[in-house]
Amino acid sequence: MRASMSHKFGREYGLGTEPWKEHSTIPGRFTGNPSLSVTVSQYMISLHRRKVRLGEVVTSARAMDEPIMIRLWEFACQTPQKDFGPTTRQQKADDPTEWAGFNIRMMLYLLYLVSMTCLLRYDEALRMTWADVAFQNPRPTDFRVKLNLPFRKTHQYGDIAPFYLYGQPNRPWMCLVTAFAIWWEISRQKVQNLDGFVFRKKIGTDSTSQSFLECFRNNLLDIGIDPRPYGTHSFRRGGCQYLHIVLKWSFRQICNWGGWADDCDNPGTIFKYLLSWNDSPDRDRENYMNPARPLTDPCRACGRTCHCA
């Protein structure tokens, strides 16, 4: 609510982002954004304190993790391709699992994966067009996808660094090159000249955040997962955790990749993405100091199974 007020005063009324304060030379005249006043800040802190005392806890969307992505990938790949056209409403009503076919599931998986890997908000991913996607072959043995996004919330005036995405043969469920290739081939069967949105509910119409969230929840139900803790921000949070925990990226590298400030002027933001009580624990607390605790899955680079790999 406060963010909406700050945006209203700052953007539509042109009051900017300076704190609300009395003019230094004109007594009785105030300048700045009223929503950013000291009084409002004190009230919000007091409100948060009272809510905590009453037992209310702010819950963020649960982060996506690699095991769930594996199950979504396998389910999409196992979905049979049908030749008799789109599923009718009657068929969907008779069998809820028929809410989407192979094509839609593959499109959704690409949307999940690009949001998670590139740390994109769902609206940033949905705005992507085929003109923003470039398939490159810089060396004979390398093939990559280059994403040039036209808009990001943190870069509203341009100067957006591109994303360079390479194949992941050891992790096909996390391979954006494969996901882009599959959806490009499917789209070319419907439309010869791909110049519109990459993600579409139907070929010829752009997708929306509401339809994306509905499809995401249906997809989780397909694999037997309760969708209620998850939301559109789950992939951005899950991407941060995947890059740090699985790929061992440093905080600075994650900030640079995700478009956060290079000087990390707000370190609390990234920690909120990495840590939350609502996320699935990666290991049991009772085994933290247990020298005989179960080993992890083998590292796909070195083959080690120890927890320090």
Side-chain angles (χ1 to χ4, degrees), residues 145-159:
V145 176
K146 179 181 178 182
L147 298 183
N148 289 294
L149 300 183
F151 170 83
R152 295 203 69 182
K153 182 180 178 180
T154 53
H155 299 75
Q156 300 186 17
Y157 302 101
D159 194 26

Side-chain angles (χ1 to χ4, degrees), residues 56-69:
E56 298 184 25
V57 180
V58 178
T59 303
S60 57
R62 179 175 295 178
M64 288 293 291
D65 53 24
E66 190 178 13
I68 296 180
M69 294 297 290

